[in-house]
Amino acid sequence: MKKRIFSGVAPSGTIHIGNYLGALKNWVKLQDEFESIFCVVDMHAITLPRDPEELKRKTLDVAKIYLASGIDPAKCSLFIQSHVSEHAELSWILNTIAKTGELSRMTQFKDKSELATGNKDLSESVPLGIFNYPILMAADILLYDTNLVPVGEDQLQHIELTRILAKRFNNKFGETFVIPEGHVQKEGMRIMGLDDPTKKMSKSAASEYNYIALTDDEETVRRKIKKAVTDSGSEIVYRDDKPALMNLINIYSLLSDISAKEIEKKYEGKGYAEFKSDLADIVVEFLKPFQKKIAELSDEKVLEILLEGAKKVRPIAKTKLDEVKKKIGFII
Ligand code: ATP
Ligand code: LTN
């Protein structure tokens, strides 16, 4: 029997090349080898305030991006998280075995609290949803006896927590959950912000100059790359003390399949302007077919695929949830 993978992206912002290189590209590769379940995690998206109309739009847009990336609904199940209510139910149950201490140590929680409150004071105004966000993520993963969770590096801490919760539940109530493993592909695991190479590229970044969205048009891509921060000096070198350049070379390399070493050689004696202009060409060329595919997908077609996906996975989720309910003493 094939092993199973599960992953998701929240419809919470503009999907960027970091999401693609860190996660989606890997999903596409893995879908042939594994039984694959991919989710648009709308319940995670509402952990910070969202405009309802925009959430609807983005939910379909994220699914379109999955499809345009090469996720094939004939090989995988693709669905919207809130369409399978077992996620919310299992999340509640897992809440009762998790500890507030382990949740408050999550880096993403600390970052998002800062984003929500505008400062580092984790005070009364931090939404509770971003605190127990990792519990809902654990429920997503554990409902499907997931073996492998392909994500970017930033999500490994959440997967570690998922493993802890699964083991804790199994110890208390008997073998129930498969213990999942994170799967990070080395290349692309952490694409940094174009405006700040010390922080990862993020869809909820304050400035659009942080990321290149998969839906950015040519003019926008060129403007953003031109404005991307660079390090002091003028040589094109791939070195730890030049984090901004390293990031741009990584993007160049991943989208062109030219190694960092070869890129260094190619730009010997040349400056940032030429390098950046070529990088912009590469990004624009990469985005073209991608955006063409997105434009060809209608909302109706995508929703049909998502509803079909939910129909396929719901029985798996229900069987696991019933098992959990029985074990903890609910009458079903
Ligand atoms: P947000 O800022 O709203 O949290 P995000 O940009 O961090 O969004 P997520 O929805 O958290 O994106 O991530 C979706 C997937 O993309 C995850 O697997 C995550 O690990 C991966 N990912 C996100 N940002 C990057 C990045 N900069 N580099 C590589 N992978 C990334
Ligand atoms: N928290 C993840 C999105 C996510 C996810 C999941 C990823 C929600 N549920 C289950 C893998 C498996 C993120 O990328 N921010």
Side-chain angles (χ1 to χ4, degrees):
M1 229 173 75
K2 277 188 179 177
K3 288 195 168 182
R4 189 175 282 155
I5 61 174
F6 182 101
S7 199
V9 173
S12 56
T14 321
I15 307 268
H16 50 74
I17 53 171
N19 298 131
Y20 176 77
L21 295 170
L24 291 170
K25 194 175 170 196
N26 201 15
W27 302 3
V28 175
K29 262 200 285 185
L30 296 170
Q31 67 181 341
D32 291 313
E33 197 186 327
F34 292 89
E35 186 194 334
S36 308
I37 306 180
F38 300 119
C39 188
V40 184
V41 292
D42 55 347
M43 297 200 296
H44 278 107
I46 60 162
T47 54
L48 286 173
R50 305 281 163 209
D51 173 73
E53 279 312 311
E54 205 179 308
L55 179 63
K56 269 192 213 166
R57 180 70 262 142
K58 290 208 147 107
T59 300
L60 293 177
D61 286 350
V62 169
K64 285 186 186 180
I65 285 174
Y66 287 180
L67 294 165
S69 300
I71 300 293
D72 180 353
K75 295 180 189 161
C76 324
S77 304
L78 203 66
F79 73 106
I80 300 176
Q81 186 185 33
S82 64
H83 285 181
V84 181
S85 57
E86 282 79 0
H87 290 242
E89 288 188 69
L90 180 61
S91 177
W92 176 255
I93 294 168
L94 293 176
N95 265 315
T96 65
I97 64 161
K99 317 261 189 248
T100 56
E102 53 202 2
L103 288 170
S104 43
R105 282 192 289 276
M106 295 291 120
T107 318
Q108 182 178 290
F109 165 64
K110 290 190 231 169
D111 290 349
K112 291 207 178 207
S113 306
E114 213 178 306
L115 203 75
T117 63
N119 59 48
K120 285 191 192 293
D121 172 22
L122 304 187
S123 62
E124 301 201 351
S125 49
V126 177
L128 187 56
I130 59 173
F131 184 64
N132 58 12
Y133 176 114
I135 309 277
L136 177 57
M137 179 162 161
D140 296 342
I141 296 168
L142 298 177
L143 268 179
Y144 299 98
D145 286 338
T146 303
N147 302 103
L148 226 57
V149 189
V151 281
E153 189 194 29
D154 61 298
Q155 293 301 312
L156 288 181
Q157 199 186 21
H158 289 161
I159 293 168
E160 191 47 43
L161 180 68
T162 303
R163 291 165 57 86
I164 290 170
L165 294 178
K167 287 180 194 161
R168 192 174 295 156
F169 189 97
N170 288 353
N171 283 337
K172 213 165 164 189
F173 299 104
E175 272 320 293
T176 310
F177 295 124
V178 168
I179 312 297
E181 280 182 36
H183 183 277
V184 171
Q185 64 168 5
K186 213 162 169 291
E187 312 81 30
M189 65 185 189
R190 204 166 152 79
I191 301 295
M192 310 310 277
L194 297 184
D195 58 349
D196 178 0
T198 63
K199 294 208 179 95
K200 76 172 185 111
M201 188 176 278
S202 164
K203 4 190 183 80
S204 33
S207 159
E208 62 153 354
Y209 287 99
N210 170 272
Y211 55 80
I212 292 170
L214 294 176
T215 46
D216 276 347
D217 61 23
E218 177 164 352
E219 190 274 321
T220 310
V221 170
R222 293 194 188 280
R223 183 164 32 90
K224 287 181 175 178
I225 291 181
K226 218 179 221 168
K227 265 198 93 167
V229 300
T230 41
D231 310 282
S232 57
S234 60
E235 302 156 277
I236 309 299
V237 282
Y238 191 74
R239 268 204 332 247
D240 286 343
D241 63 333
K242 294 190 179 284
L245 201 51
M246 257 178 104
N247 189 43
L248 295 179
I249 294 177
N250 273 336
I251 297 172
Y252 191 125
S253 170
L254 289 164
L255 294 182
S256 65
D257 274 333
I258 302 177
S259 72
K261 275 254 158 318
E262 288 171 85
I263 294 171
E264 275 184 336
K265 222 189 241 146
K266 187 166 174 199
Y267 292 95
E268 242 169 34
K270 296 177 181 162
Y272 286 149
E274 188 168 346
F275 168 75
K276 278 185 163 185
S277 160
D278 289 353
L279 175 60
D281 288 345
I282 287 169
V283 174
V284 167
E285 279 316 303
F286 163 74
L287 292 179
K288 262 187 201 156
F290 194 89
Q291 293 176 353
K292 185 166 173 275
K293 278 190 223 152
I294 292 183
E296 284 163 6
L297 288 162
S298 71
D299 288 356
E300 293 71 26
K301 177 69 198 159
V302 173
L303 190 57
E304 197 184 296
I305 292 170
L306 291 165
L307 293 175
E308 191 52 42
K311 218 166 82 199
K312 272 202 292 191
V313 302
R314 200 174 286 121
I316 311 173
K318 182 168 181 346
T319 305
K320 182 57 68 180
L321 184 67
D322 281 352
E323 184 187 347
V324 168
K325 286 181 173 173
K326 265 193 228 153
K327 287 199 167 140
I328 61 174
F330 284 1
I331 297 170
I332 59 164

